[in-house]
Amino acid sequence: MADSELAAKLEKQMARNEGDENIQPCMKVFNPYTEFKEFSRKDIQSLEKTFKKYDFNNDKKLDLEELKFMMEKLRVPQTHLGLKEMIRQVDEDKDNKINFKEFLMIFRKAKNGELTKDSGLQQLYDQVMEIDVTETGVKGAKSFFEAQALKQSFSNNFEREIREEQEERRRMEELKKKKRDEFMAKKSIFSN
């Protein structure tokens, strides 16, 4: 059995090398903003930052050790079997790792109430989405909750967020130009 399987793999590789096999590349592009419309752009960017923080080998996937470290840092350590179960629940491509799409699936499942209260994935969701009042302050937490309530009232968060980002960039450019003009004015004083 093993010999025939190995022979089949070797034959397939030889066909690739000789150019005989018609290989269809998989070029599906993942766009989190269109596939996970239930999250705001800021939510996705925040989750991506968290994901990258724990992807130590930069392979764009969280393996068992990286997931273990993440859960320990979030103060919800899991057993080895618990970590494997967490991966199994969202591992669509069956590589025993969590890519960013699968990471977002955790948060989608939690938002939809598909996770049990004591599951490792629910604990991960609770810890990542938790607001640390000591870090953000009471006003920061208040503004966060007010913004969340406001966000619920908008019918199209995506377009609104893009406008906000564009407005923020415009304000930054204006501030940059103002500072540059002030600098040039001061520079002209000293160059005379």
Short mmCIF file of all heavy atoms in Angstrom, two decimals, residues 108-151:
data_model
loop_
_atom_site.label_atom_id
_atom_site.label_comp_id
_atom_site.label_asym_id
_atom_site.label_seq_id
_atom_site.Cartn_x
_atom_site.Cartn_y
_atom_site.Cartn_z
N ARG A 108 -16.25 35.23 14.33
CA ARG A 108 -17.58 35.14 13.71
C ARG A 108 -18.44 34.15 14.49
O ARG A 108 -19.59 34.43 14.81
CB ARG A 108 -17.47 34.70 12.25
CG ARG A 108 -18.83 34.43 11.61
CD ARG A 108 -18.71 33.94 10.20
NE ARG A 108 -18.53 35.09 9.31
CZ ARG A 108 -18.15 34.98 8.04
NH1 ARG A 108 -17.87 33.80 7.53
NH2 ARG A 108 -18.02 36.05 7.30
N LYS A 109 -17.86 32.99 14.79
CA LYS A 109 -18.60 31.96 15.53
C LYS A 109 -19.00 32.48 16.91
O LYS A 109 -20.11 32.23 17.37
CB LYS A 109 -17.77 30.68 15.66
CG LYS A 109 -17.68 29.89 14.38
CD LYS A 109 -16.90 28.61 14.59
CE LYS A 109 -16.94 27.75 13.34
NZ LYS A 109 -16.46 26.39 13.61
N ALA A 110 -18.09 33.20 17.56
CA ALA A 110 -18.40 33.72 18.89
C ALA A 110 -19.52 34.76 18.81
O ALA A 110 -20.44 34.75 19.63
CB ALA A 110 -17.15 34.33 19.52
N LYS A 111 -19.46 35.65 17.81
CA LYS A 111 -20.51 36.66 17.65
C LYS A 111 -21.86 36.03 17.37
O LYS A 111 -22.89 36.54 17.80
CB LYS A 111 -20.16 37.61 16.50
CG LYS A 111 -19.39 38.82 16.91
CD LYS A 111 -19.27 39.79 15.75
CE LYS A 111 -19.23 41.19 16.26
NZ LYS A 111 -19.17 42.18 15.22
N ASN A 112 -21.85 34.91 16.65
CA ASN A 112 -23.10 34.23 16.29
C ASN A 112 -23.57 33.27 17.37
O ASN A 112 -24.57 32.58 17.18
CB ASN A 112 -22.93 33.48 14.96
CG ASN A 112 -22.72 34.42 13.80
OD1 ASN A 112 -23.08 35.60 13.85
ND2 ASN A 112 -22.13 33.92 12.73
N GLY A 113 -22.81 33.19 18.48
CA GLY A 113 -23.21 32.31 19.58
C GLY A 113 -23.02 30.83 19.30
O GLY A 113 -23.70 29.99 19.88
N GLU A 114 -22.11 30.49 18.39
CA GLU A 114 -21.90 29.10 18.01
C GLU A 114 -20.89 28.38 18.90
O GLU A 114 -20.64 27.19 18.70
CB GLU A 114 -21.42 29.03 16.55
CG GLU A 114 -22.43 29.58 15.55
CD GLU A 114 -21.87 29.65 14.14
OE1 GLU A 114 -20.90 28.92 13.82
OE2 GLU A 114 -22.40 30.44 13.34
N LEU A 115 -20.28 29.08 19.85
CA LEU A 115 -19.26 28.46 20.71
C LEU A 115 -19.84 28.22 22.10
O LEU A 115 -20.64 29.01 22.59
CB LEU A 115 -18.04 29.37 20.81
CG LEU A 115 -17.35 29.75 19.50
CD1 LEU A 115 -16.23 30.75 19.75
CD2 LEU A 115 -16.80 28.50 18.81
N THR A 116 -19.39 27.14 22.72
CA THR A 116 -19.82 26.89 24.09
C THR A 116 -19.06 27.82 25.03
O THR A 116 -17.93 28.23 24.74
CB THR A 116 -19.58 25.43 24.50
OG1 THR A 116 -18.19 25.13 24.37
CG2 THR A 116 -20.40 24.48 23.66
N LYS A 117 -19.69 28.15 26.14
CA LYS A 117 -19.15 29.14 27.08
C LYS A 117 -17.76 28.78 27.58
O LYS A 117 -16.92 29.64 27.77
CB LYS A 117 -20.13 29.27 28.25
CG LYS A 117 -20.03 30.56 28.98
CD LYS A 117 -20.54 31.69 28.14
CE LYS A 117 -20.76 32.94 28.94
NZ LYS A 117 -20.65 34.12 28.14
N ASP A 118 -17.51 27.48 27.81
CA ASP A 118 -16.23 27.07 28.39
C ASP A 118 -15.20 26.64 27.36
O ASP A 118 -14.12 26.17 27.71
CB ASP A 118 -16.45 25.95 29.41
CG ASP A 118 -17.11 24.73 28.78
OD1 ASP A 118 -17.71 24.86 27.70
OD2 ASP A 118 -17.01 23.64 29.38
N SER A 119 -15.49 26.80 26.07
CA SER A 119 -14.53 26.37 25.04
C SER A 119 -13.35 27.33 24.99
O SER A 119 -13.45 28.51 25.34
CB SER A 119 -15.20 26.31 23.66
OG SER A 119 -15.41 27.60 23.15
N GLY A 120 -12.22 26.82 24.55
CA GLY A 120 -11.02 27.63 24.42
C GLY A 120 -11.21 28.77 23.43
O GLY A 120 -10.71 29.88 23.63
N LEU A 121 -11.97 28.51 22.36
CA LEU A 121 -12.21 29.56 21.37
C LEU A 121 -13.03 30.70 21.96
O LEU A 121 -12.76 31.87 21.69
CB LEU A 121 -12.91 28.98 20.13
CG LEU A 121 -12.10 27.96 19.32
CD1 LEU A 121 -12.93 27.43 18.15
CD2 LEU A 121 -10.80 28.55 18.82
N GLN A 122 -14.03 30.36 22.77
CA GLN A 122 -14.84 31.40 23.41
C GLN A 122 -13.98 32.21 24.38
O GLN A 122 -14.10 33.43 24.46
CB GLN A 122 -16.03 30.78 24.15
CG GLN A 122 -16.95 31.81 24.79
CD GLN A 122 -17.65 32.71 23.78
OE1 GLN A 122 -18.18 32.23 22.79
NE2 GLN A 122 -17.65 34.01 24.02
N GLN A 123 -13.09 31.53 25.10
CA GLN A 123 -12.19 32.24 26.03
C GLN A 123 -11.25 33.16 25.26
O GLN A 123 -10.98 34.28 25.70
CB GLN A 123 -11.41 31.23 26.87
CG GLN A 123 -12.28 30.47 27.84
CD GLN A 123 -11.52 29.36 28.55
OE1 GLN A 123 -10.44 28.95 28.13
NE2 GLN A 123 -12.09 28.86 29.64
N LEU A 124 -10.76 32.70 24.11
CA LEU A 124 -9.91 33.54 23.27
C LEU A 124 -10.68 34.79 22.83
O LEU A 124 -10.19 35.91 22.95
CB LEU A 124 -9.45 32.76 22.04
CG LEU A 124 -8.71 33.54 20.95
CD1 LEU A 124 -7.41 34.12 21.48
CD2 LEU A 124 -8.44 32.65 19.75
N TYR A 125 -11.90 34.59 22.36
CA TYR A 125 -12.75 35.71 21.95
C TYR A 125 -12.95 36.69 23.10
O TYR A 125 -12.78 37.90 22.93
CB TYR A 125 -14.10 35.18 21.45
CG TYR A 125 -15.11 36.27 21.17
CD1 TYR A 125 -15.10 36.97 19.97
CD2 TYR A 125 -16.09 36.61 22.11
CE1 TYR A 125 -16.02 37.97 19.70
CE2 TYR A 125 -17.01 37.61 21.86
CZ TYR A 125 -16.97 38.28 20.66
OH TYR A 125 -17.88 39.28 20.41
N ASP A 126 -13.30 36.17 24.26
CA ASP A 126 -13.57 37.02 25.42
C ASP A 126 -12.34 37.85 25.80
O ASP A 126 -12.47 39.04 26.11
CB ASP A 126 -14.00 36.19 26.63
CG ASP A 126 -15.37 35.54 26.43
OD1 ASP A 126 -16.13 36.00 25.55
OD2 ASP A 126 -15.66 34.57 27.15
N GLN A 127 -11.17 37.25 25.74
CA GLN A 127 -9.96 37.96 26.14
C GLN A 127 -9.53 38.99 25.10
O GLN A 127 -9.10 40.09 25.45
CB GLN A 127 -8.81 36.97 26.40
CG GLN A 127 -9.00 36.14 27.63
CD GLN A 127 -9.06 36.98 28.89
OE1 GLN A 127 -8.28 37.89 29.08
NE2 GLN A 127 -10.03 36.68 29.73
N VAL A 128 -9.61 38.65 23.83
CA VAL A 128 -9.18 39.58 22.77
C VAL A 128 -10.15 40.75 22.66
O VAL A 128 -9.72 41.89 22.48
CB VAL A 128 -9.03 38.85 21.42
CG1 VAL A 128 -8.81 39.84 20.29
CG2 VAL A 128 -7.88 37.86 21.49
N MET A 129 -11.44 40.48 22.81
CA MET A 129 -12.43 41.54 22.64
C MET A 129 -12.69 42.31 23.93
O MET A 129 -13.43 43.28 23.92
CB MET A 129 -13.75 40.95 22.11
CG MET A 129 -13.61 40.28 20.76
SD MET A 129 -12.84 41.30 19.49
CE MET A 129 -14.24 42.22 18.92
N GLU A 130 -12.07 41.89 25.02
CA GLU A 130 -12.26 42.56 26.31
C GLU A 130 -11.61 43.94 26.29
O GLU A 130 -10.55 44.14 25.70
CB GLU A 130 -11.61 41.71 27.40
CG GLU A 130 -11.67 42.31 28.77
CD GLU A 130 -10.95 41.42 29.78
OE1 GLU A 130 -9.72 41.59 29.92
OE2 GLU A 130 -11.61 40.58 30.39
N ILE A 131 -12.24 44.88 26.98
CA ILE A 131 -11.68 46.22 27.10
C ILE A 131 -11.00 46.32 28.45
O ILE A 131 -11.61 46.08 29.48
CB ILE A 131 -12.76 47.30 27.00
CG1 ILE A 131 -13.37 47.25 25.62
CG2 ILE A 131 -12.20 48.66 27.29
CD1 ILE A 131 -14.43 48.25 25.40
N ASP A 132 -9.72 46.67 28.43
CA ASP A 132 -8.98 46.84 29.67
C ASP A 132 -9.12 48.29 30.10
O ASP A 132 -8.48 49.18 29.56
CB ASP A 132 -7.50 46.47 29.45
CG ASP A 132 -6.70 46.49 30.73
OD1 ASP A 132 -7.27 46.80 31.80
OD2 ASP A 132 -5.50 46.19 30.66
N VAL A 133 -9.96 48.52 31.11
CA VAL A 133 -10.24 49.89 31.56
C VAL A 133 -8.97 50.52 32.13
O VAL A 133 -8.77 51.73 32.01
CB VAL A 133 -11.39 49.90 32.59
CG1 VAL A 133 -11.64 51.29 33.14
CG2 VAL A 133 -12.66 49.37 31.96
N THR A 134 -8.09 49.73 32.73
CA THR A 134 -6.84 50.30 33.26
C THR A 134 -5.96 50.82 32.14
O THR A 134 -5.21 51.77 32.32
CB THR A 134 -6.06 49.26 34.09
OG1 THR A 134 -5.74 48.15 33.25
CG2 THR A 134 -6.85 48.80 35.30
N GLU A 135 -6.07 50.20 30.98
CA GLU A 135 -5.26 50.63 29.84
C GLU A 135 -5.92 51.78 29.08
O GLU A 135 -5.28 52.76 28.73
CB GLU A 135 -5.04 49.44 28.90
CG GLU A 135 -4.08 49.72 27.78
CD GLU A 135 -3.86 48.48 26.94
OE1 GLU A 135 -3.47 47.44 27.51
OE2 GLU A 135 -4.09 48.57 25.73
N THR A 136 -7.22 51.67 28.82
CA THR A 136 -7.90 52.68 28.02
C THR A 136 -8.54 53.77 28.87
O THR A 136 -8.88 54.81 28.35
CB THR A 136 -9.01 52.04 27.16
OG1 THR A 136 -9.95 51.42 28.03
CG2 THR A 136 -8.46 51.05 26.19
N GLY A 137 -8.71 53.50 30.15
CA GLY A 137 -9.35 54.47 31.03
C GLY A 137 -10.86 54.38 30.90
O GLY A 137 -11.40 53.80 29.96
N VAL A 138 -11.54 54.94 31.87
CA VAL A 138 -13.00 54.89 31.86
C VAL A 138 -13.57 55.66 30.67
O VAL A 138 -14.50 55.21 30.01
CB VAL A 138 -13.57 55.45 33.20
CG1 VAL A 138 -15.07 55.51 33.16
CG2 VAL A 138 -13.10 54.62 34.37
N LYS A 139 -12.96 56.81 30.37
CA LYS A 139 -13.45 57.58 29.22
C LYS A 139 -13.24 56.81 27.93
O LYS A 139 -14.08 56.84 27.04
CB LYS A 139 -12.74 58.93 29.15
CG LYS A 139 -13.19 59.90 30.21
CD LYS A 139 -12.53 61.24 30.04
CE LYS A 139 -12.98 62.20 31.12
NZ LYS A 139 -12.33 63.49 31.02
N GLY A 140 -12.10 56.12 27.83
CA GLY A 140 -11.83 55.32 26.64
C GLY A 140 -12.84 54.20 26.49
O GLY A 140 -13.35 53.94 25.41
N ALA A 141 -13.16 53.53 27.60
CA ALA A 141 -14.16 52.46 27.56
C ALA A 141 -15.53 53.03 27.23
O ALA A 141 -16.28 52.46 26.44
CB ALA A 141 -14.20 51.73 28.91
N LYS A 142 -15.85 54.20 27.81
CA LYS A 142 -17.14 54.83 27.54
C LYS A 142 -17.25 55.16 26.06
O LYS A 142 -18.26 54.86 25.42
CB LYS A 142 -17.28 56.09 28.38
CG LYS A 142 -18.58 56.84 28.12
CD LYS A 142 -18.64 58.13 28.90
CE LYS A 142 -19.90 58.89 28.55
NZ LYS A 142 -19.71 60.29 28.39
N SER A 143 -16.19 55.77 25.51
CA SER A 143 -16.24 56.14 24.10
C SER A 143 -16.29 54.89 23.22
O SER A 143 -16.94 54.89 22.17
CB SER A 143 -15.07 57.03 23.71
OG SER A 143 -13.85 56.33 23.85
N PHE A 144 -15.64 53.82 23.67
CA PHE A 144 -15.70 52.57 22.91
C PHE A 144 -17.14 52.07 22.83
O PHE A 144 -17.64 51.73 21.76
CB PHE A 144 -14.80 51.51 23.55
CG PHE A 144 -14.98 50.14 22.96
CD1 PHE A 144 -14.36 49.80 21.77
CD2 PHE A 144 -15.77 49.19 23.58
CE1 PHE A 144 -14.53 48.55 21.21
CE2 PHE A 144 -15.95 47.93 23.04
CZ PHE A 144 -15.32 47.62 21.85
N PHE A 145 -17.81 52.01 23.98
CA PHE A 145 -19.18 51.50 23.99
C PHE A 145 -20.14 52.43 23.26
O PHE A 145 -21.06 51.98 22.59
CB PHE A 145 -19.64 51.24 25.43
CG PHE A 145 -19.00 50.02 26.03
CD1 PHE A 145 -18.15 50.14 27.10
CD2 PHE A 145 -19.23 48.77 25.49
CE1 PHE A 145 -17.55 49.02 27.65
CE2 PHE A 145 -18.64 47.64 26.04
CZ PHE A 145 -17.79 47.77 27.12
N GLU A 146 -19.91 53.73 23.36
CA GLU A 146 -20.75 54.67 22.61
C GLU A 146 -20.55 54.46 21.12
O GLU A 146 -21.51 54.48 20.35
CB GLU A 146 -20.42 56.11 23.01
CG GLU A 146 -20.93 56.49 24.38
CD GLU A 146 -20.46 57.87 24.82
OE1 GLU A 146 -19.54 58.44 24.18
OE2 GLU A 146 -20.99 58.37 25.82
N ALA A 147 -19.30 54.26 20.73
CA ALA A 147 -19.01 54.04 19.31
C ALA A 147 -19.63 52.73 18.83
O ALA A 147 -20.14 52.65 17.71
CB ALA A 147 -17.50 54.03 19.08
N GLN A 148 -19.60 51.70 19.69
CA GLN A 148 -20.20 50.43 19.31
C GLN A 148 -21.71 50.58 19.11
O GLN A 148 -22.28 50.04 18.17
CB GLN A 148 -19.93 49.35 20.37
CG GLN A 148 -18.49 48.91 20.45
CD GLN A 148 -18.05 48.11 19.23
OE1 GLN A 148 -18.57 48.26 18.13
NE2 GLN A 148 -17.05 47.28 19.42
N ALA A 149 -22.35 51.33 20.00
CA ALA A 149 -23.79 51.56 19.87
C ALA A 149 -24.09 52.34 18.60
O ALA A 149 -25.05 52.05 17.87
CB ALA A 149 -24.33 52.29 21.09
N LEU A 150 -23.27 53.35 18.32
CA LEU A 150 -23.46 54.15 17.12
C LEU A 150 -23.25 53.31 15.87
O LEU A 150 -23.99 53.43 14.90
CB LEU A 150 -22.49 55.35 17.14
CG LEU A 150 -22.58 56.34 16.00
CD1 LEU A 150 -23.96 57.00 16.02
CD2 LEU A 150 -21.49 57.38 16.11
N LYS A 151 -22.28 52.46 15.93
CA LYS A 151 -21.96 51.60 14.79
C LYS A 151 -23.14 50.70 14.44
O LYS A 151 -23.40 50.45 13.26
CB LYS A 151 -20.73 50.75 15.13
CG LYS A 151 -20.26 49.87 14.01
CD LYS A 151 -18.94 49.23 14.31
CE LYS A 151 -19.08 48.25 15.44
NZ LYS A 151 -17.86 47.47 15.65
#
